[in-house]
Amino acid sequence: MSYRQLTDHYRRIAHIQHVAAVTAWDEAVNMPPGGEAARGQAMATVAVLLHELQTDARLEGWLQSADQEALGTWERANLVQIRRALRRATAVAPDLVQALSLATSRCEQAWRKLRPTNDWETFAPLLDEVIARTREVAQALGERLGVDPYDALVDEHEPGMTAAKIDPIFAELASFLPDYIQRGCERQTGVDVLPLQGPFSPAAQRDLGLQLMRACGFDFNHGRLDRSHHPFCGGTPTDVRITTRYDETDFLPALMGVLHETGHAKYEQGLPRGWLEQPVGHALGMAMHESQSLLAEMQLCRSAAFWRFAGPLVRQAFGTSDALSDRNLAALATRVAPGKIRVDADELTYPCHVILRYEIEKELIAGTLTVADIPERWDEAMRDSLGIDTRGDVRDGCMQDVHWPAGAVGYFPTYTLGALIAAQLAAAMNEAIPDIDERLAQGDFAPMDAWLRQNVWSRGRVVSAQTALEQATGSELSVEPFRAHLARRYLHDGE
Amino acid sequence: MSYRQLTDHYRRIAHIQHVAAVTAWDEAVNMPPGGEAARGQAMATVAVLLHELQTDARLEGWLQSADQEALGTWERANLVQIRRALRRATAVAPDLVQALSLATSRCEQAWRKLRPTNDWETFAPLLDEVIARTREVAQALGERLGVDPYDALVDEHEPGMTAAKIDPIFAELASFLPDYIQRGCERQTGVDVLPLQGPFSPAAQRDLGLQLMRACGFDFNHGRLDRSHHPFCGGTPTDVRITTRYDETDFLPALMGVLHETGHAKYEQGLPRGWLEQPVGHALGMAMHESQSLLAEMQLCRSAAFWRFAGPLVRQAFGTSDALSDRNLAALATRVAPGKIRVDADELTYPCHVILRYEIEKELIAGTLTVADIPERWDEAMRDSLGIDTRGDVRDGCMQDVHWPAGAVGYFPTYTLGALIAAQLAAAMNEAIPDIDERLAQGDFAPMDAWLRQNVWSRGRVVSAQTALEQATGSELSVEPFRAHLARRYLHDGE
């Protein structure tokens, strides 16, 4: 039973990934600064150990024998995933795995301290080391897979995705977004939107977040909410850890962050329970993952209908005021305002942040841009796309994201691909659930969750992301539903 | 360079132990109930993986070659520790390691839920499984080491310790403790001790605990304080995690728990930094570890001098009242009162709790007592030693401790051995630092820490616990300093 040997081996890998995920969450949420060096060393050893398991010399033989065995659809799909993982893992030398892990630990740990002090000088050499090692990985993977190095990195986060597919999509977005942003901003002038009057205590923000997570169907028996520098969704499907951070002058960034991560968390919690320890039980790539967070945050929780439900809870938390009316909250949640920070960006300007990062990371991997030149390149792109001057401000410029320090190159495009998928899924869901606004206004996410569970969450990787999307929506990935959604929400009156 | 190969291998083991320690802490502090099953499976895999590393076929050869190399004292002592670990690890089959890990995960997870509901019926079969597997381990280890099975378990926690050494020590304690307890109680009658008037909010208790930890020299750059069912000290030397739990009617249990765990934590934080990833850099067994927590909690922080420092901070936290006078706090901290709960016991009755558990676990491993009969045996012993009826109350009887569910059999004796060592070290320290009371009254732990660092913490395992104790105090382990301390504090007027 070679198939059984494969699954036993992959259970073991899943168990090591489990403790690695808990430890990574702990580092972002709990670890005191003095623990950094030893933690980085420990995590590098775990990375090497996982790599050893994923390149075990017996895997190829087991795969060949398992191919001859009588297997069901899920088992076959699991073999495809294992073969994919083996091909990628064996392309990279163990020493490089360790060197990259150590470089990312050091860089991410430094980033937490250097970003607040706007210290690019100290940070740049550490990032340079990460990019250098990442380029080596990309080179090795590209050779093995017969693809461009950058595509080899993208493929890790979104299987099968390439720059050749992303470029026309981003070009299409770039063709209408500047006009939409301008019209979206103009439409807002003359409309009375009241600003929020803080302070909003972190404790009250947290309680409100927990209430809305509960309403949205987050399963607290299998997860929790904590605080970190950068919101994220980590842990394991049976114990999903989401985080946010609190701004006392404005509760919306933390709250929308919570709702965003809740979308990720529900996907993880909804993965097929019987397959969690096998590759076929994982999520369908990061674009689909982002689609779940953006469907929750953008499509559902920034709608006027949602604020009819959430408004009373907000006023319960912070007291009644005109600024906290359902209508004003919905207006605040859909305000268009070009800004420096990606995670705080509105739906219209968000893709500009992604496209800029995508272009820069492609150039870094191609070797046509050096780390030292990122700030200047960043500033140019921010002026061009959003008219924003970021000179001298790396903190809220190219040092704002944890992705590159953490070695996640090729990840950024999945945010915008996820936004497209979210819009496409939402359109199909709207047809399947005609009373979606009434449901949202009651805080009843059950029918939407049932639809997503059937069409996305429960599928694991038994089909590709493309197939899942086509089966759920009846068409291939397209910019059109996203464009239509933006036009409806930001260019016309009312939703 | 076989020695180098050994240390590289043990660095790897230390790194896996690092993530295992963080994950174990997380389970006790953060994990939602739904995460239990998957976490138990993951931790069992890590236990098997560690066992594989510790039984690597190359170790014996490396050890033999390393013996021929020119090595320093620490390196030689490291070889002794590695040889000891190899001998123990190879005695136990991997399947048994996994079975025991799964059994303890299940039992400890169940214990958290079943103890509050006093549910012995559901709990007993899970404990029975743990004891059955532990007996197999003890049998295998005993055969390998040529010792009694129970001694083989004790040796894991306290190298070289045996029942034959413990029995006369405990007999000596049993010869005077009943009389001391009676006289200690009598001396209290007629003395006005005011009871505490709560409630004491957990947040204020925590803040007070943090203040005193800081005064005691806990290094927050390398550790933190959290909340769990059962106070413990976990994590790693560069990131020590201590926990407590809060009772709103009485802040002393939580606070003394914090001071106790701070003693453990300072030992870990004070271990020789250059050797942390090698066995010779670990602490000198659990008796010495307990001596550090008990020296902090019992010898120092329950003294009248300490409360002259801590009293003002307590009144700052909870307001001024007669019950919170320095004098009354010191009286409360040294009150003698036989009770059901070990962790809340005073110094005079504490050894009775330990002796009872020691006798029971010896019988469990010998097979002369079954798990089903523990409650009856427990009740008899509690009546005999402390005159307390525990019938029908397993919650605060034999289900009160996490040790047996967690598979820690042979651990309990180290608490009382630790109390003896603490008294012996304190006596020597008092001679070395004549103004110790003045220091305590100022909250200045620096001279005591310096003495402990030199005599205990910095030594790692370069000598045995016995040698370290003799070098620090000039004599072998003895009951006398502990007896004298008890007599001074509990039988006479003033300290």
Side-chain angles (χ1 to χ4, degrees), chain A residues 43-54:
Chain A
M43 291 302 273
T45 292
V46 172
V48 170
L49 173 71
L50 278 168
H51 185 253
E52 278 174 17
L53 289 168
Q54 282 163 335

PDB file of all heavy atoms in Angstrom, chain A residues 43-54:
ATOM      1  N   MET A  43      13.269  27.992  14.076  1.00  0.00           N
ATOM      2  CA  MET A  43      12.382  27.927  12.917  1.00  0.00           C
ATOM      3  C   MET A  43      13.140  27.526  11.649  1.00  0.00           C
ATOM      4  O   MET A  43      12.582  26.866  10.767  1.00  0.00           O
ATOM      5  CB  MET A  43      11.649  29.254  12.731  1.00  0.00           C
ATOM      6  CG  MET A  43      10.634  29.541  13.823  1.00  0.00           C
ATOM      7  SD  MET A  43       9.349  28.254  13.984  1.00  0.00           S
ATOM      8  CE  MET A  43       8.154  28.822  12.784  1.00  0.00           C
ATOM      9  N   ALA A  44      14.405  27.920  11.554  1.00  0.00           N
ATOM     10  CA  ALA A  44      15.208  27.511  10.396  1.00  0.00           C
ATOM     11  C   ALA A  44      15.414  25.995  10.414  1.00  0.00           C
ATOM     12  O   ALA A  44      15.354  25.335   9.368  1.00  0.00           O
ATOM     13  CB  ALA A  44      16.550  28.246  10.390  1.00  0.00           C
ATOM     14  N   THR A  45      15.652  25.446  11.590  1.00  0.00           N
ATOM     15  CA  THR A  45      15.795  23.989  11.688  1.00  0.00           C
ATOM     16  C   THR A  45      14.499  23.291  11.292  1.00  0.00           C
ATOM     17  O   THR A  45      14.518  22.270  10.594  1.00  0.00           O
ATOM     18  CB  THR A  45      16.203  23.592  13.129  1.00  0.00           C
ATOM     19  OG1 THR A  45      17.527  24.061  13.367  1.00  0.00           O
ATOM     20  CG2 THR A  45      16.159  22.089  13.317  1.00  0.00           C
ATOM     21  N   VAL A  46      13.370  23.841  11.720  1.00  0.00           N
ATOM     22  CA  VAL A  46      12.089  23.247  11.343  1.00  0.00           C
ATOM     23  C   VAL A  46      11.889  23.330   9.829  1.00  0.00           C
ATOM     24  O   VAL A  46      11.404  22.374   9.203  1.00  0.00           O
ATOM     25  CB  VAL A  46      10.921  23.921  12.094  1.00  0.00           C
ATOM     26  CG1 VAL A  46       9.580  23.435  11.572  1.00  0.00           C
ATOM     27  CG2 VAL A  46      11.030  23.638  13.596  1.00  0.00           C
ATOM     28  N   ALA A  47      12.285  24.443   9.238  1.00  0.00           N
ATOM     29  CA  ALA A  47      12.166  24.588   7.782  1.00  0.00           C
ATOM     30  C   ALA A  47      13.000  23.518   7.066  1.00  0.00           C
ATOM     31  O   ALA A  47      12.540  22.898   6.100  1.00  0.00           O
ATOM     32  CB  ALA A  47      12.609  25.988   7.345  1.00  0.00           C
ATOM     33  N   VAL A  48      14.212  23.298   7.559  1.00  0.00           N
ATOM     34  CA  VAL A  48      15.082  22.290   6.951  1.00  0.00           C
ATOM     35  C   VAL A  48      14.489  20.889   7.154  1.00  0.00           C
ATOM     36  O   VAL A  48      14.467  20.067   6.238  1.00  0.00           O
ATOM     37  CB  VAL A  48      16.507  22.367   7.552  1.00  0.00           C
ATOM     38  CG1 VAL A  48      17.342  21.177   7.123  1.00  0.00           C
ATOM     39  CG2 VAL A  48      17.175  23.664   7.133  1.00  0.00           C
ATOM     40  N   LEU A  49      13.981  20.652   8.343  1.00  0.00           N
ATOM     41  CA  LEU A  49      13.372  19.356   8.644  1.00  0.00           C
ATOM     42  C   LEU A  49      12.177  19.092   7.717  1.00  0.00           C
ATOM     43  O   LEU A  49      12.024  18.003   7.152  1.00  0.00           O
ATOM     44  CB  LEU A  49      12.922  19.346  10.104  1.00  0.00           C
ATOM     45  CG  LEU A  49      12.121  18.142  10.540  1.00  0.00           C
ATOM     46  CD1 LEU A  49      13.010  16.912  10.604  1.00  0.00           C
ATOM     47  CD2 LEU A  49      11.480  18.400  11.901  1.00  0.00           C
ATOM     48  N   LEU A  50      11.326  20.096   7.550  1.00  0.00           N
ATOM     49  CA  LEU A  50      10.178  19.941   6.651  1.00  0.00           C
ATOM     50  C   LEU A  50      10.657  19.686   5.224  1.00  0.00           C
ATOM     51  O   LEU A  50      10.084  18.861   4.505  1.00  0.00           O
ATOM     52  CB  LEU A  50       9.297  21.202   6.692  1.00  0.00           C
ATOM     53  CG  LEU A  50       8.315  21.262   7.860  1.00  0.00           C
ATOM     54  CD1 LEU A  50       7.706  22.649   7.974  1.00  0.00           C
ATOM     55  CD2 LEU A  50       7.205  20.209   7.671  1.00  0.00           C
ATOM     56  N   HIS A  51      11.693  20.389   4.843  1.00  0.00           N
ATOM     57  CA  HIS A  51      12.234  20.192   3.508  1.00  0.00           C
ATOM     58  C   HIS A  51      12.766  18.769   3.345  1.00  0.00           C
ATOM     59  O   HIS A  51      12.551  18.125   2.310  1.00  0.00           O
ATOM     60  CB  HIS A  51      13.331  21.234   3.249  1.00  0.00           C
ATOM     61  CG  HIS A  51      13.877  21.209   1.863  1.00  0.00           C
ATOM     62  ND1 HIS A  51      15.120  20.716   1.574  1.00  0.00           N
ATOM     63  CD2 HIS A  51      13.326  21.586   0.681  1.00  0.00           C
ATOM     64  CE1 HIS A  51      15.328  20.807   0.263  1.00  0.00           C
ATOM     65  NE2 HIS A  51      14.252  21.344  -0.297  1.00  0.00           N
ATOM     66  N   GLU A  52      13.433  18.252   4.375  1.00  0.00           N
ATOM     67  CA  GLU A  52      13.921  16.862   4.333  1.00  0.00           C
ATOM     68  C   GLU A  52      12.762  15.898   4.154  1.00  0.00           C
ATOM     69  O   GLU A  52      12.821  14.958   3.360  1.00  0.00           O
ATOM     70  CB  GLU A  52      14.642  16.504   5.641  1.00  0.00           C
ATOM     71  CG  GLU A  52      16.078  16.977   5.694  1.00  0.00           C
ATOM     72  CD  GLU A  52      16.698  16.736   7.070  1.00  0.00           C
ATOM     73  OE1 GLU A  52      16.158  15.940   7.858  1.00  0.00           O
ATOM     74  OE2 GLU A  52      17.722  17.368   7.347  1.00  0.00           O
ATOM     75  N   LEU A  53      11.696  16.130   4.908  1.00  0.00           N
ATOM     76  CA  LEU A  53      10.529  15.238   4.810  1.00  0.00           C
ATOM     77  C   LEU A  53       9.915  15.327   3.413  1.00  0.00           C
ATOM     78  O   LEU A  53       9.498  14.325   2.840  1.00  0.00           O
ATOM     79  CB  LEU A  53       9.490  15.602   5.879  1.00  0.00           C
ATOM     80  CG  LEU A  53       9.874  15.259   7.319  1.00  0.00           C
ATOM     81  CD1 LEU A  53       8.913  15.923   8.312  1.00  0.00           C
ATOM     82  CD2 LEU A  53       9.865  13.743   7.542  1.00  0.00           C
ATOM     83  N   GLN A  54       9.883  16.558   2.868  1.00  0.00           N
ATOM     84  CA  GLN A  54       9.248  16.758   1.560  1.00  0.00           C
ATOM     85  C   GLN A  54      10.114  16.264   0.407  1.00  0.00           C
ATOM     86  O   GLN A  54       9.623  16.161  -0.723  1.00  0.00           O
ATOM     87  CB  GLN A  54       8.913  18.245   1.370  1.00  0.00           C
ATOM     88  CG  GLN A  54       7.664  18.641   2.150  1.00  0.00           C
ATOM     89  CD  GLN A  54       7.537  20.136   2.313  1.00  0.00           C
ATOM     90  OE1 GLN A  54       8.525  20.858   2.269  1.00  0.00           O
ATOM     91  NE2 GLN A  54       6.312  20.601   2.509  1.00  0.00           N
TER      92      GLN A  54
END
